[in-house]
Amino acid sequence: MDYKKGIFKVADLKLANEGRKLIAWAESRMPVLMRLREQYRKSKPLRGFRIAGCLHVTKETAVLVKTFVEAGAEVSWSGCNPLSTNDAVAAALAADSISIFAWHGMNVKEFYWCIEETLKLKPNLTLDDGADLIFTVHNRHQELIPNIIGGTEETTTGVHRLRAMAQDGALKYPVIAVNDAETKWDFDNVYGTGQSTLDGILRATSVLFAGKNVVIAGYGHCGKGVATRAKGLGANVIVTEVKPTAALKATLDGMRVMPMDEAAKIGDIFVTATGVKDVIVDRHFKLMKDGVIVCNTGHYDCEINLEHLRKQAPSPKVIRQDNEEYKLKDGRRIYVLAQGRLVNLAAAEGHPSEVMDMSFANQFMSQLRLAELKRKGERLDNKVYDIPVEQDQEIAGVKLVTMGLRIDKLTPEQRNYQEDYSAGT
Ligand code: 9W4
């Protein structure tokens, strides 16, 4: 079947108006992307380009998709995680004649069906989060590859997989790794996850943070973000770590550091942010005080061993949304949020729009760069490319301007001084 503009499959088109309001709200918080939209609305540099995307269908993604459309591109979209699709947002895009195949709670077969549908556009650019679209093209639709100029990838996992493919010579078109941009990496993890994790905990519990012992497992970017925000709310923050340098940083940032076996006895709220399994296990549950709150914001949902907890408390009770009470045989209660899944996504809305603004501006500019290369008759090699440092700085610069902030510039003399190695010190 050939591609027709505006074909779609979403949960319920009647949700379109609700979705439009969400998108308008995100637009009001994403000034960098909106500037790009305004900048390219008239010249339409993406006219003639067809972008297939596989990216969480959220209000922020909708702002990106609409920016592509305003810049002249034809798009077809699917969600990259069956649980992250906002049905109202999907409906709004469909109602505005954008080809979209996404609904909340779809199964794996439906997930790949949606990707296949988007490929009927015969894209010449792809946009991924997790590389499923690129894999589908490589494994099942090699006939599309000669026309594909390149793609972009949003996440760490996707970039790892694609680098492995490139190393094996299996990658058949160039990919730009948006993930590794400074304007994405630092801001998503420290500020995005930092705030949205507290947002998730508050939505699921409405507890007071001030005066609480908040135990954060892992002091990577995410752990640091959560720790800093919790401290800002007046919590006593305790960090557990396995890496000496990270533990030292936490100490010098004013956090208490101790092993989980000790922290388990005094913590009121536990947040895992490590990326490894079994951070909180049965011996820790045995030590915890009555009424503690336990949640995860790390990469996987195995950081808290819920099987261990279920052995001590077999029938948890949902006491409010995203909050389950496990009553242990000795009468103590442990509250687990979002079933140990990522609390910032399951119980809140992930990164605030202001944070997504920068990584999606990187997405837009990278797609534009691929299109411009094509227009000039050039093409990148079939490798994974980093975002150019200048693009990163440009986006951060525009963000500052939209925030009404100005910064200093190096004078030519200062620049010479920096670059001149002959003068000594
Ligand atoms: N969302 C997600 C994943 C799992 C999940 C109730 C238990 C990632 C990045 C962005 O993965 C994402 N599981 C859920 S809800 C849910 C949501 N449940 C529901 O029962 C499991 C995801 C990127 N992003 C932002 O962070 C903000 N805007 C964005 O586009 C989005 C979603």
Side-chain angles (χ1 to χ4, degrees):
M1 191 182 88
D2 265 342
Y3 167 81
K4 282 200 213 80
K5 191 168 182 232
I7 53 172
F8 62 85
K9 185 165 162 63
V10 298
D12 183 0
L13 212 48
K14 288 198 288 297
L15 299 171
N17 269 343
E18 189 191 321
R20 286 194 180 108
K21 286 183 202 155
L22 291 172
I23 298 168
W25 177 255
E27 282 174 342
S28 76
R29 312 285 124 182
M30 300 179 83
V32 179
L33 211 42
M34 294 306 279
R35 268 194 173 210
L36 289 168
R37 190 185 285 187
E38 189 48 38
Q39 189 177 342
Y40 295 115
R41 196 171 50 83
K42 290 216 178 90
S43 59
K44 304 224 179 294
L46 290 174
R47 190 180 280 142
F49 291 92
R50 299 181 301 282
I51 306 173
C54 181
L55 180 67
H56 304 286
V57 179
T58 59
K59 56 189 185 307
E60 292 80 16
T61 295
V63 180
L64 173 64
V65 172
K66 293 181 82 160
T67 306
F68 283 135
V69 172
E70 289 268 358
E74 264 189 89
V75 299
S76 62
W77 219 261
S78 69
C80 66
N81 179 325
L83 292 176
S84 64
T85 293
N86 182 315
D87 285 329
V89 168
L93 290 175
D96 286 349
S97 303
I98 289 166
S99 275
I100 173 148
F101 304 89
W103 59 96
H104 186 92
M106 62 173 58
N107 62 35
V108 177
K109 203 169 148 220
E110 291 167 331
F111 177 80
Y112 285 104
W113 177 84
C114 288
I115 292 182
E116 293 275 344
E117 286 301 299
T118 63
L119 290 175
K120 289 181 179 164
L121 175 66
K122 298 193 172 53
N124 43 25
L125 290 161
T126 64
L127 189 157
D128 260 280
D129 182 318
D132 283 314
L133 177 59
I134 294 184
F135 288 160
T136 307
V137 169
H138 279 70
N139 298 336
R140 295 174 53 93
H141 289 281
Q142 285 133 0
E143 77 284 358
L144 296 173
I145 291 175
N147 284 323
I148 298 184
I149 307 158
T152 53
E153 166 58 50
E154 176 80 5
T155 60
T156 318
T157 333
V159 171
H160 280 161
R161 291 164 159 183
L162 293 168
R163 283 200 206 282
M165 261 173 98
Q167 220 148 37
D168 290 350
L171 187 65
K172 299 296 178 209
Y173 60 83
V175 180
I176 300 178
V178 169
N179 180 70
D180 298 349
E182 198 181 339
T183 39
K184 171 164 196 294
W185 185 247
D186 282 4
F187 293 85
D188 273 20
N189 293 326
V190 182
Y191 307 103
T193 307
Q195 176 172 309
S196 59
T197 299
L198 291 204
D199 187 7
I201 298 171
L202 289 171
R203 289 189 201 199
T205 64
S206 64
V207 285
L208 178 72
F209 264 72
K212 294 282 188 331
N213 290 336
V214 176
V215 179
I216 296 162
Y219 202 70
H221 281 82
C222 294
K224 184 189 166 96
V226 181
T228 318
R229 267 64 201 150
K231 204 173 181 195
L233 284 177
N236 306 309
V237 178
I238 297 166
V239 168
T240 71
E241 251 299 342
V242 291
K243 194 175 169 191
T245 47
L248 197 53
K249 282 182 194 165
T251 308
L252 269 58
D253 285 342
M255 318 294 168
R256 283 173 78 192
V257 171
M258 62 181 76
M260 185 58 89
D261 286 309
E262 280 173 39
K265 296 180 216 160
I266 53 177
D268 298 302
I269 301 170
F270 294 82
V271 186
T272 57
T274 68
V276 297
K277 65 182 238 177
D278 291 343
V279 178
I280 298 183
V281 293
D282 41 16
R283 71 172 191 282
H284 301 125
F285 294 127
K286 283 186 184 131
L287 296 171
M288 286 176 181
K289 299 190 289 188
D290 178 31
V292 300
I293 293 161
V294 179
C295 66
N296 166 48
T297 198
H299 213 76
Y300 308 104
D301 60 7
C302 54
E303 302 208 8
I304 304 164
N305 193 322
L306 286 181
E307 263 174 50
H308 284 181
L309 184 57
R310 266 185 233 112
K311 280 202 184 114
Q312 299 178 43
S315 28
K317 199 165 77 189
V318 177
I319 53 139
R320 55 187 279 174
Q321 199 172 341
D322 297 309
N323 185 339
E324 281 182 296
E325 181 185 270
Y326 287 73
K327 194 154 190 181
L328 291 101
K329 289 175 189 131
D330 59 14
R332 282 177 305 125
R333 290 154 299 180
I334 292 176
Y335 296 93
V336 176
L337 309 187
Q339 299 161 25
R341 292 174 220 243
L342 292 165
V343 71
N344 68 321
L345 293 167
E349 291 169 71
H351 305 317
S353 306
E354 289 90 336
V355 171
M356 296 310 296
D357 191 22
M358 287 193 288
S359 62
F360 284 177
N362 268 315
Q363 281 286 4
F364 182 86
M365 287 178 72
S366 301
Q367 291 279 335
L368 193 60
R369 190 169 142 230
L370 289 167
E372 274 164 2
L373 282 172
K374 166 78 178 172
R375 194 165 281 124
K376 285 194 266 177
E378 293 171 23
R379 189 188 152 99
L380 298 171
D381 294 334
N382 297 342
K383 290 187 196 152
V384 178
Y385 291 86
D386 285 340
I387 295 276
V389 178
E390 308 79 60
Q391 182 178 312
D392 231 357
Q393 293 302 330
E394 191 184 331
I395 288 175
V398 176
K399 188 77 172 175
L400 284 168
V401 170
T402 65
M403 295 166 85
L405 299 172
R406 293 182 311 130
I407 57 172
D408 292 325
K409 262 201 186 93
L410 285 178
T411 62
E413 291 76 21
Q414 285 174 315
R415 199 181 296 275
N416 280 343
Y417 174 79
Q418 252 189 348
E419 287 165 8
D420 182 9
Y421 55 88
S422 65
T425 43

